[in-house]
Amino acid sequence: MKRFIILILTIAILLTGCWDKREINQLAFVQGLGIERGKDDMIHLIVEILRPGLLTAGGGGTGGTGGGSAAGKPYAVFQASGVDFAKAFANLNDELPRSLFMQYNEIIFLDEKFARSGIYQTLDFMTRNPEFRRTAYILVVTGGSIQELFNLPSSNELERYPYKEVMGLISNQANTASSYVSDLNEFIETLEIPKKAPITGRLVIVKKDGKATGIRLSGSAVFDNDKLIGFLEEQDTKAVATLMNKLKRSTLTLDKGLKGEKAHISLVVTKARTQISPKIKDGDISFDIKVNVEAYLNEQETKYELTEPENLEKLQTMVSKKIKTAIEHALFILQKKYNVDVVGFVDILHKRNPALWKEVEKDWDKIYPDVKFNVAVKSVIKRSGLSSKPIHPR
């Protein structure tokens, strides 16, 4: 009897299948998800779905176009609407012959109008649904619609569809710091810190004669809680990345020579380390900001020999001044124009002086715009390239 029971249990285990399995030919692989708020105030969900047959065949097929995509493209664009994101998502699933598969999607595109109206409900839905990747990047799209973005003709032969082109831009911005791109996880974690504001990348659709011709990452989108309130230019974004210790590499250009004459000197910043310390004096809160920068000379129009200590010291001073000015300008915009803290000064104050933070927390929105920042930058130019001396044409 025992042997019989063991046999039955063994057979039952072997015959057990996955209750939630889905066949691969029943899935619609999403690589690019866009959200817009229409003139009707409805939420429009737009997705870019891969067409594996054309992808592997080199894009030369002539299959169905799917949602208006041109024949031969390795993807199709579909969209649906709803009163909120959850309803739009359900409607799109109902209208497609395959189930949406979100786990391969690494970018969430937000229309500017939608971002300004508040994105909390959408983020809440995504964090509760296990199919949405917490590592998916968030981008605010300006200069055109998401439909224009997904239907954008490839600007070059390097990438075959818009999603891959944007992924390449995100990867490359690590070397330029022209934008600051947050993923879903970082964005939500920032929202959970009291009085700290999220920031993420701005994707601009470039147009010529009214027609979309290309894209570029330019600056960053600034939020107050879950609502978009404005943008930072590229130089301000670099300054913010420096303050957050997120700057990996960046270019810096000086428009004056060592004697103040008009000139062009280009450097590459390879390291930036920032220390921020809160101070209180006579009841006033301030922050000391110390930045240490390492860079190397990339190009110069001047004839100075930077092997000479005096010239090198002057150049380092000019670099420090340029970075200090950029940081102060970014802080001015964040304080006076937007009244938000994307750097995390509140978090630093809370950790260093919990008692003081508890005292000022409820009035921080009024205190923050008048907080003083004492910025000090020290720059070191490690090398001047393969040649330390300028070229002297004969």
Side-chain angles (χ1 to χ4, degrees):
M1 185 65 179
K2 289 183 178 179
R3 290 181 179 179
F4 178 74
I5 293 174
I6 293 172
L7 178 63
I8 294 298
L9 291 174
T10 303
I11 293 173
I13 292 172
L14 292 175
L15 293 178
T16 300
C18 297
W19 64 270
D20 62 344
K21 75 169 184 177
R22 291 183 291 177
E23 299 295 338
I24 193 170
N25 60 357
Q26 297 175 343
L27 302 176
F29 292 91
V30 176
Q31 283 208 325
L33 180 149
I35 311 167
E36 294 182 340
R37 182 173 291 278
K39 294 180 180 179
D40 54 3
D41 212 34
M42 297 283 281
I43 300 300
H44 302 291
L45 176 62
I46 308 169
V47 295
E48 188 176 278
I49 295 176
L50 293 182
R51 303 166 73 186
L54 294 182
L55 194 65
T56 56
T62 56
T65 59
S69 296
K73 286 185 177 182
Y75 67 93
V77 178
F78 296 89
Q79 62 178 309
S81 302
V83 293
D84 55 23
F85 179 82
K87 184 59 177 176
F89 189 78
N91 289 341
L92 185 57
N93 251 321
D94 289 341
E95 295 171 12
L96 292 176
R98 299 187 180 191
S99 299
L100 291 171
F101 189 74
M102 305 300 304
Q103 292 178 13
Y104 282 166
N105 179 59
E106 295 179 89
I107 311 177
I108 300 165
F109 300 96
L110 306 179
D111 164 70
E112 182 178 349
K113 182 180 178 181
F114 171 72
R116 288 187 183 277
S117 68
I119 63 175
Y120 171 78
Q121 285 186 317
T122 299
L123 295 180
D124 184 66
F125 178 89
M126 291 180 177
T127 54
R128 295 177 187 276
N129 190 321
E131 283 205 6
F132 285 88
R133 298 176 60 156
R134 293 287 289 257
T135 56
Y137 297 111
I138 297 176
L139 291 174
V140 175
V141 179
T142 64
S145 68
I146 294 176
Q147 185 74 48
E148 287 179 300
L149 170 66
F150 285 174
N151 289 328
L152 192 68
S154 179
S155 60
N156 51 59
E157 299 299 325
L158 297 178
E159 304 296 348
R160 295 176 53 208
Y161 52 104
Y163 172 89
K164 293 293 289 182
E165 193 166 338
V166 177
M167 282 299 296
L169 293 178
I170 293 174
S171 177
N172 288 338
Q173 66 86 30
N175 292 322
T176 63
S178 59
S179 183
Y180 183 92
V181 184
S182 296
D183 60 23
L184 183 60
N185 199 52
E186 181 182 355
F187 197 96
I188 292 171
E189 286 181 351
T190 303
L191 280 176
E192 292 174 343
I193 300 175
K195 306 295 183 179
K196 186 178 179 183
I199 183 175
T200 195
R202 178 189 190 184
L203 184 69
V204 179
I205 297 177
V206 180
K207 291 187 175 182
K208 185 177 181 180
D209 299 326
K211 185 177 180 181
T213 58
I215 52 175
R216 65 186 181 93
L217 277 175
S218 178
S220 301
V222 179
F223 285 74
D224 185 3
N225 291 317
D226 69 322
K227 294 182 179 180
L228 173 71
I229 58 171
F231 299 97
L232 291 179
E233 299 296 334
E234 292 185 14
Q235 291 302 318
D236 294 325
T237 300
K238 291 180 181 182
V240 168
T242 301
L243 291 170
M244 297 170 68
N245 281 313
K246 296 292 183 70
L247 187 78
K248 296 180 180 179
R249 187 182 177 92
S250 177
T251 57
L252 185 146
T253 303
L254 303 176
D255 55 7
K256 291 183 180 180
L258 303 187
K259 295 182 180 180
E261 76 280 15
K262 186 176 180 181
H264 175 86
I265 302 175
S266 177
L267 303 101
V268 177
V269 176
T270 56
K271 185 183 292 185
R273 293 291 178 265
T274 303
Q275 293 180 321
I276 302 175
S277 303
K279 303 289 182 182
I280 182 166
K281 184 178 180 181
D282 299 329
D284 295 327
I285 298 172
S286 63
F287 289 86
D288 290 343
I289 300 173
K290 296 181 180 180
V291 184
N292 290 289
V293 173
E294 291 183 9
Y296 68 82
L297 184 65
N298 197 32
E299 178 185 349
Q300 68 162 328
E301 290 179 347
T302 62
K303 308 301 182 196
Y304 302 107
E305 293 190 12
L306 296 178
T307 50
E308 297 181 8
E310 184 181 355
N311 289 339
L312 184 60
E313 187 176 343
K314 286 182 179 179
L315 182 59
Q316 290 176 161
T317 300
M318 291 173 65
V319 170
S320 296
K321 186 177 180 180
K322 178 78 178 264
I323 295 174
K324 181 177 185 290
T325 301
I327 290 174
E328 289 174 339
H329 182 267
L331 290 172
F332 178 83
I333 296 297
L334 292 172
Q335 274 190 294
K336 304 300 183 181
K337 184 177 181 179
Y338 297 134
N339 191 20
V340 294
D341 172 17
V342 304
V343 177
F345 296 109
V346 290
D347 201 29
I348 294 170
L349 181 60
H350 183 215
K351 290 177 180 178
R352 300 283 184 89
N353 197 331
L356 176 61
W357 171 245
K358 188 175 181 180
E359 183 181 333
V360 302
E361 181 179 4
K362 63 179 181 179
D363 297 320
W364 183 250
D365 291 338
K366 297 177 181 178
I367 296 172
Y368 174 68
D370 296 319
V371 168
K372 293 183 179 180
F373 297 101
N374 307 307
V375 182
V377 180
K378 181 180 179 181
S379 300
V380 176
I381 298 175
K382 287 288 188 179
R383 61 185 190 272
S384 55
L386 294 176
S387 175
S388 59
K389 296 182 179 182
I391 297 173
H392 294 283
R394 290 181 293 178

